[in-house]
Amino acid sequence: MRDARDIIKKPLISEKSTMMMEEMKYAFQVDPGANKVEIKKAIEELFKVKVKDVNTIRMQGKMKRMGMFTGRRPSWKKAVVTLEEGSKPIEIFEGL
């Protein structure tokens, strides 16, 4: 199995994700080749919490223009992790 830090790229902090924190849901950018089982094990290993559910979404890269040239930002994968009842919150999201 791959290292947990290779699977979880970075936490996603947005207005929508901060509202989801009240429901014990946290959003992360993850490796596009990772599956739900790998993501669950990586979150539990890194943050020492119990994961109830993992939902994944493939995000399409946006089209961008620079003058007459067009390009595309890279596509990526997002994971929304729901924690078990009674589990402690993830520390990196505290104080937001």
Side-chain angles (χ1 to χ4, degrees):
M1 185 175 137
R2 295 181 288 180
D3 185 39
R5 289 178 183 84
D6 293 334
I7 295 172
I8 308 299
K9 299 291 185 190
K10 64 180 181 178
L12 297 177
I13 300 171
S14 65
E15 188 174 347
K16 184 176 182 178
S17 68
T18 52
M19 289 190 317
M20 289 191 316
M21 285 182 217
E22 297 170 1
E23 303 167 12
M24 298 295 283
K25 293 183 180 184
Y26 298 91
F28 296 92
Q29 181 178 348
V30 297
D31 180 52
N35 60 27
K36 292 182 180 186
V37 175
E38 291 175 335
I39 294 168
K40 179 179 178 175
K41 288 180 182 177
I43 294 292
E44 288 178 346
E45 178 185 329
L46 286 176
F47 302 110
K48 310 291 189 270
V49 294
K50 293 296 290 177
V51 175
K52 178 181 176 184
D53 192 29
V54 177
N55 296 334
T56 57
I57 305 114
R58 289 194 173 268
M59 304 296 289
Q60 187 70 27
K62 292 182 179 179
M63 292 292 295
K64 291 293 176 180
R65 270 188 23 186
M66 178 71 98
M68 66 179 205
F69 302 104
T70 60
R72 180 178 289 275
R73 287 187 178 169
S75 299
W76 52 286
K77 190 173 191 177
K78 176 167 65 170
V80 178
V81 177
T82 306
L83 300 183
E84 292 276 348
E85 291 294 325
S87 180
K88 64 181 179 112
I90 296 177
E91 293 88 22
I92 59 172
F93 291 98
E94 292 300 311
L96 295 178

